[in-house]
Amino acid sequence: MDEFMQEAIAEAKLGRSEGGIPIGSVLVKNDKILGRGHNKRVQDNDPVTHAEIDCLRNAGRIGNYQDATLYSTLMPCYLCAGAVVQFGIKKVVAGESVTFAGAREFMESHGVEVIDLNLDECKQLMREFIQEKQQLWNEDIGN
């Protein structure tokens, strides 16, 4: 498995250990991690602190994002896909999209290359979380 996806998975596990939703993300440019984050909606009581948003905040201002790749353990939602498009990130690598289809078509329609790795480990993280905390998951996806 790609080392950067492994780092995103580590972020997802960290979020879960904090009582949050197990979704993690890293931003990579020139084979270097510039930022990392995980979903902190529960921890920060903030509805927009998704993993990708936390990752971008932690990366800080990097200037040009066009050569950066965003890794996320789950296909980004429209909020996070909007950030991808807004900042000109041209490549997103998702761990899976079975649990949540996300906004793949939106990103692709704006010229973003989207790769879905369909990883069992990412699906298992979400499956276990949803079994334990269905109501929290429904809140996260707006159901």
Side-chain angles (χ1 to χ4, degrees):
M1 180 191 313
D2 182 294
E3 67 181 289
F4 300 122
M5 184 54 70
Q6 288 176 340
E7 291 297 321
I9 291 170
E11 283 292 323
K13 290 178 179 178
L14 177 59
R16 183 71 173 112
S17 74
E18 296 171 349
I21 300 164
I23 304 168
S25 183
V26 295
L27 182 68
V28 176
K29 187 172 181 178
N30 299 323
D31 290 323
K32 180 182 174 196
I33 295 176
L34 302 179
R36 58 180 64 238
H38 52 275
N39 186 304
K40 292 182 181 171
R41 293 182 65 254
V42 173
Q43 299 92 313
D44 292 352
N45 194 32
D46 180 349
V48 296
T49 309
H50 290 202
E52 299 86 348
I53 301 301
D54 187 47
C55 175
L56 290 168
R57 282 180 178 153
N58 291 331
R61 294 176 56 215
I62 67 167
N64 185 327
Y65 293 81
Q66 290 182 358
D67 295 326
T69 300
L70 184 70
Y71 287 77
S72 182
T73 58
L74 188 65
M75 187 64 70
C77 68
Y78 281 94
L79 170 71
C80 299
V84 165
V85 170
Q86 178 69 32
F87 292 117
I89 297 169
K90 295 298 182 192
K91 186 174 182 180
V92 170
V93 179
E96 66 111 340
S97 63
V98 173
T99 303
F100 183 74
R104 179 180 190 149
E105 290 178 8
F106 171 79
M107 290 184 287
E108 289 175 335
S109 74
H110 286 85
V112 178
E113 177 187 2
V114 180
I115 298 169
D116 183 353
L117 299 176
N118 194 30
L119 296 174
D120 289 336
E121 185 172 5
C122 293
K123 290 185 278 190
Q124 184 63 28
L125 278 169
M126 294 307 300
R127 188 169 31 253
E128 289 171 1
F129 170 76
I130 292 168
Q131 285 175 348
E132 294 172 18
K133 298 193 176 186
Q134 179 73 46
Q135 184 176 354
L136 182 55
W137 172 244
N138 287 340
E139 175 189 319
D140 191 58
I141 60 173
N143 281 349

